[in-house]
Amino acid sequence: SVSQGICVGTYRRWCSWFDCGDAVREFAAFLNSAPVAELFEELTGVPDLVLPMLSPTHYDAGDFLSPHPDMRNNRVISIVFHLTDRHVDGGELVFCAPFRVLAPEFNTLTMFLVTNQSYHMVNRVRETRPGLRLAVNGWYSSFSERSVAVRKELGVGGGLVSTGSWS
């Protein structure tokens, strides 16, 4: 169960990134690599990104996560790497404004700017077709003075930056 302001829901963290095995550690190293950070900096315009945290999660039938904006710890970009390899009834990533629903699709990375208007949630996984919704969530932060100026320029519009499959 999670509780942070209005963020309430149920899901299970299957492990933390540092004790989840080689695959998650290698994925974290990849996301922290210079080419990936440079790509995300180019896509968002925010400099000096670091990925301080990954959170592998799974949702079973009945699990969900209520709307929340991820606004803490100097977060600039939220990412969700979907690992669900079969159809799950429910478990969609939902953006509140503008409204958009993304089904958890295998090998797809969704990233979005963290603003005070980037409320999102995970729909309840329905019990009619129990399944396991797997994802690795992460947050890029930036602590430099240079990034503060750029973030102020971006304002609070934010929203979905990109979604696509990794090959």
Side-chain angles (χ1 to χ4, degrees):
S1 180
V2 174
S3 178
Q4 173 197 328
I6 67 164
C7 178
V8 177
T10 60
Y11 66 91
R12 290 150 192 85
R13 185 170 291 152
W14 87 69
C15 58
S16 60
W17 73 269
F18 51 85
D19 66 8
C20 203
D22 291 340
V24 173
R25 281 193 296 275
E26 288 174 20
F27 186 56
F30 168 73
L31 291 173
N32 273 314
S33 69
V36 173
E38 288 168 9
L39 171 66
F40 288 177
E41 288 174 7
E42 183 178 325
L43 287 172
T44 64
V46 179
D48 308 321
L49 295 174
V50 293
L51 181 74
M53 188 168 138
L54 284 180
S55 177
T57 57
H58 75 265
Y59 291 70
D60 287 321
D63 290 344
F64 67 99
L65 190 59
S66 296
H68 61 283
D70 287 351
M71 293 281 295
R72 61 183 183 160
N73 302 329
N74 289 332
R75 291 176 177 170
V76 177
I77 301 170
S78 290
I79 63 168
V80 182
F81 185 54
H82 299 281
L83 298 171
T84 303
D85 64 355
R86 63 181 185 274
H87 176 76
V88 173
D89 191 11
E92 300 90 357
L93 178 61
V94 178
F95 292 91
C96 301
F99 183 75
R100 185 164 182 190
V101 179
L102 300 174
E105 195 173 311
F106 180 68
N107 204 35
T108 298
L109 179 77
T110 301
M111 61 184 279
F112 54 96
L113 293 174
V114 175
T115 71
N116 63 4
Q117 296 186 11
S118 61
Y119 280 84
H120 58 285
M121 61 185 264
V122 174
N123 274 343
R124 182 178 307 277
V125 175
R126 292 182 270 297
E127 301 202 26
T128 55
R129 289 186 58 159
L132 192 62
R133 179 194 186 272
L134 299 174
V136 176
N137 308 302
W139 300 272
Y140 279 91
S141 298
S142 187
F143 302 95
S144 73
E145 288 184 32
R146 192 169 62 135
S147 75
V148 171
V150 172
R151 290 171 62 194
K152 283 182 182 177
E153 278 181 38
L154 289 174
V156 294
L160 189 69
V161 174
S162 180
T163 184
S165 294
W166 288 73
S167 24

